[in-house]
Amino acid sequence: MSPKRKSASSFPPRERALIAAQLAIARSEYDEACRAVAPIVARDSNDVLALYTLGDCAYHDLTVIPGAHDSLPGREKWGKNLSLAMMRRVLTLDPSFHQAFRHILDVLRTLQLNGCVRPAPTAPCEVWRAAMLRDGDTLLLHP
């Protein structure tokens, strides 16, 4: 006799959101993953797994929100700055969470970040007209 399986609806909201975020990450749908896990982080800023998941999807998401006019720069929707903040918080709460170091090192080693703009929410990305650059020695990234 096989053990009974729980249906997805029987899990608490936190676990459902984390599962949805991990499934979205597995499908390379990073914006969807960030949207799934951001409310958990907003409710509990000490949830290490939620913080890491938000930092992970923010690191990989390339979505740029274009400026109102062509001459205005766009901004990253989630971005590397958010990823750095989440990974730092993870390591503050749990210094043994070694996976967070990888994203921190990757962000700090990156000198140029390309973004993409979606003409519609479900449309494929179009390469953004400018690269994202790290500002000298600071950790702020600017389009």
Side-chain angles (χ1 to χ4, degrees), residues 19-30 32-33:
I19 290 168
Q22 288 300 320
L23 288 172
I25 287 171
R27 293 189 307 263
S28 299
E29 295 171 354
Y30 302 110
E32 182 181 328

Side-chain angles (χ1 to χ4, degrees), residues 21-89:
Q22 288 300 320
L23 288 172
I25 287 171
R27 293 189 307 263
S28 299
E29 295 171 354
Y30 302 110
D31 178 53
E32 182 181 328
C34 287
R35 284 186 282 117
V37 79
I40 298 172
V41 173
R43 279 191 302 272
D44 182 4
S45 63
N46 292 326
D47 187 332
V48 172
L49 188 54
L51 289 163
Y52 176 78
T53 304
L54 181 57
D56 185 30
C57 64
Y59 172 78
H60 293 288
D61 184 58
L62 299 176
T63 305
V64 173
I65 298 170
H69 304 286
D70 197 40
S71 61
L72 295 176
R75 64 179 177 83
E76 291 178 296
K77 184 169 185 179
W78 298 100
K80 308 302 183 267
N81 293 327
L82 176 63
S83 181
L84 276 175
M86 295 299 103
M87 296 304 170
R88 284 182 176 151
R89 180 76 179 144

Side-chain angles (χ1 to χ4, degrees), residues 111-122:
L111 297 177
Q112 181 173 338
L113 303 164
N114 295 316
C116 71
V117 175
R118 295 184 189 280
T122 58

